[in-house]
Amino acid sequence: MRFFAKIVFICNLCFVASVILRFVEKKYAAKGITDHAIPLPFLEGTIAVLGELAMIINIFFCVIALILILMKKIKQIPLWIVIFNFIILLAQVYWFFIDNSK
């Protein structure tokens, strides 16, 4: 579970990075610049894919963490990672389902 928590944490960081990149690219597009925000398109694509998949992986993690919390066996994962992932899950739900200004 510790390894899974680290993978979810990295995916959630990619989600945050992909949201930031989306805002940067919208800003550049408004100015008429059509280049990528990062000069390495494969890196930008990897961040975008991991950012999009982060919600699915994060849902699995949060469900498993909730079960472990209810069973009082969550001691194997640092609490700050669990809290961070729950907060990011709320942000992901807002970003993908509530915010319609994409």
Side-chain angles (χ1 to χ4, degrees):
M1 188 67 184
R2 292 179 104 173
F3 181 71
F4 185 51
K6 292 174 186 176
I7 290 175
V8 173
F9 181 75
I10 291 169
C11 288
N12 285 334
L13 290 179
C14 287
F15 167 74
V16 171
S18 68
V19 169
I20 292 169
L21 286 174
R22 190 168 295 163
F23 281 122
V24 169
E25 286 188 352
K26 281 184 180 181
K27 180 180 165 186
Y28 284 155
K31 291 182 179 179
I33 302 171
T34 59
D35 290 337
H36 294 283
I38 299 177
L40 302 169
F42 67 89
L43 179 63
E44 187 175 352
T46 303
I47 290 172
V49 169
L50 283 176
E52 296 291 325
L53 292 176
M55 183 173 179
I56 297 168
I57 296 169
N58 199 12
I59 289 172
F60 286 129
F61 175 79
C62 289
V63 167
I64 292 170
L66 184 63
I67 291 170
L68 290 175
I69 287 171
L70 293 175
M71 294 173 55
K72 300 184 189 217
K73 294 184 179 181
I74 196 72
K75 294 176 181 142
Q76 59 185 345
I77 305 169
L79 187 61
W80 68 270
I81 290 180
V82 176
I83 293 170
F84 174 79
N85 289 331
F86 275 117
I87 291 170
I88 292 294
L89 180 64
L90 295 174
Q92 289 168 341
V93 167
Y94 175 76
W95 180 259
F96 288 117
F97 297 114
I98 297 173
D99 185 30
N100 293 325
S101 63
K102 292 183 193 178

